[in-house]
Amino acid sequence: MENTTQQNKIAFTTLRVMIQKIEESIKNGYLRDEWKNDKINNYESIVNTYMGYYAYKDDCVMVEGEYLHEIEDEDDYVYDEIDEKYIFSDNASWIETGRDGYYTHDDNCSGCNGIYRYNDMWINDSYMERYDLVHDTHGDIRNIDDVYYWESDCEWHDEPENDDDDDDDDDMDAACINSYSYRPSMKFHKLSNENENAPFFGIELEVERKNSNGLKHKYMAGKIEHEHWYFKTDGSLTDGFEIVTHPMTFNYIQQSEKTFTDSLKLLVENGYNSYDANTCGMHIHISKNNFTTWHLYRFLKFFVENKEFIVAISQRKMEKLKKWANIEDDSDSSLIYKAKKKDGNSERYVAINLKNTATIEIRIFRGTLNINSFMKNIEFAHSLFMYTKENKDISLHGFKMYIDSSCDYSNLKKFINLKNL
């Protein structure tokens, strides 16, 4: 009997504290006054906010695991445009774009995402382009009128280039390796008889020099220079550069296979690798406007439902895939939302990156200088695009049958059979 009385006292005290807290929450604007008139008083509809008050769950936003009232706490949170989630204002930085700007987490400003520190503010590539700013050879941001562009290394310097100061390798052709932020005018390549709605594919291949005996970057680029691609630096590489193609249709890529074969062979012969370098990957872009909402939904869903197969196709180890191209565990509703917006990644390094304006980017592949693996990756991207476009009921079994019935995917078929996938 004594225990029961004690328990009742504790329950009464708890209820009194809760009622007092509810009154305070209503007084401070966190809990709508109408809650008092709710005859049922559904306690499941209210949550405990970060500030210690009760509020309707629907009136709150989730910020780093905490509920904040959408209005009363509006000064304490902002929306992170890069990670696409709410964050605390104390952890946020404002990024100037030249016309407006956006907030993102401080961690996103540490030398990545095209964000730079300039005159006590954070700016991005759009700001630099708008106000004629460039990175000089030391990495400092300068006005374009205050520096000189050197054709020999494609960098900005304090002094004009001396044409008489020849390099020891002046008898060799050199190509320009542009900065990471370089964006050329795209040249679209397709066959004359192709359907005008054929999707375009773009390829990014990272390569590393094995050691100092390998050919210098700009001379290596000079050996493989071609109208189909251009070259960029990449901060994730130790001693290498990135080869980026202009958009091409799948049929055009197949017709150009010898060009790719010869270039990959030259890279190997001159001391470069990709597959054995821990830093290298191969990314494939597909034109975003070729996807309808439901087509993109099925494309994304295939990755979620067939992770083991995707890992095998990527030729990466799982830990590497999680680091650079994580396959997200999305629910159907999340996939539909992303497909509808053609955007919506919560992380930067995901298997299918939707952040680019004009393309979706498949990031899973390990770098390679083997033409069979190179073409296998492109065949996978094209075959999955076509399969998910033409079939509403997608499955791994159905995908493999689709590949077997086609004459276009010889390298992919061989890989699947060899690995017994």
Side-chain angles (χ1 to χ4, degrees), residues 305-319:
E305 293 190 344
N306 300 288
K307 286 189 178 182
E308 289 186 7
F309 180 77
I310 296 299
V311 173
I313 288 291
S314 76
Q315 294 184 265
R316 288 185 184 271
K317 293 182 179 179
M318 177 59 84
E319 58 267 25

Side-chain angles (χ1 to χ4, degrees), residues 162-326:
N162 184 353
D163 293 334
D164 296 329
D165 184 18
D166 294 332
D167 192 278
D168 292 339
D169 297 306
D170 60 359
D171 58 326
M172 302 176 65
D173 291 332
C176 182
I177 298 180
N178 303 280
S179 67
Y180 182 74
S181 59
Y182 175 69
R183 297 289 185 274
S185 297
M186 289 292 110
K187 301 173 184 176
F188 291 80
H189 299 281
K190 62 185 298 185
L191 302 183
S192 58
N193 60 345
E194 279 197 270
N195 187 309
E196 62 179 14
N197 295 319
F200 285 91
F201 293 77
I203 304 156
E204 297 172 358
L205 178 64
E206 296 163 340
V207 299
E208 288 270 21
R209 190 166 62 155
K210 289 182 181 180
N211 53 57
S212 59
N213 294 325
L215 197 60
K216 291 180 180 179
H217 300 168
K218 61 182 179 180
Y219 299 119
M220 184 66 254
K223 277 184 169 291
I224 61 172
E225 194 166 20
H226 198 280
E227 64 171 341
H228 289 160
W229 52 72
Y230 54 96
F231 310 103
K232 292 169 55 175
T233 60
D234 191 321
S236 67
L237 300 176
T238 305
D239 184 15
F241 60 94
E242 185 176 51
I243 304 164
V244 185
T245 73
H246 288 281
M248 294 178 274
T249 62
F250 179 66
N251 289 338
Y252 191 93
I253 293 171
Q254 286 184 310
Q255 190 180 75
S256 306
E257 183 172 342
K258 187 179 185 306
T259 302
F260 288 111
T261 301
D262 293 344
S263 296
L264 296 182
K265 184 179 179 182
L266 281 170
L267 283 159
V268 173
E269 291 174 349
N270 287 277
Y272 281 75
N273 66 4
S274 187
Y275 186 88
D276 295 327
N278 291 326
T279 53
C280 293
M282 177 176 171
H283 304 167
I284 298 177
H285 293 253
I286 308 175
S287 42
K288 192 178 277 187
N289 61 6
N290 282 93
F291 285 92
T292 63
T293 295
W294 289 109
H295 181 190
L296 183 54
Y297 162 76
R298 292 190 292 269
F299 194 90
L300 296 169
K301 189 176 179 65
F302 187 90
F303 276 70
V304 174
E305 293 190 344
N306 300 288
K307 286 189 178 182
E308 289 186 7
F309 180 77
I310 296 299
V311 173
I313 288 291
S314 76
Q315 294 184 265
R316 288 185 184 271
K317 293 182 179 179
M318 177 59 84
E319 58 267 25
K320 288 291 183 181
L321 201 63
K322 285 182 177 179
K323 181 178 180 181
W324 297 110
N326 186 43

Side-chain angles (χ1 to χ4, degrees), residues 21-38:
K21 190 173 177 180
I22 287 172
E23 292 292 339
E24 291 175 354
S25 300
I26 293 173
K27 180 181 178 181
N28 286 281
Y30 281 80
L31 189 59
R32 283 182 258 156
D33 194 56
E34 65 193 55
W35 189 86
K36 292 190 299 184
N37 301 323
D38 189 343

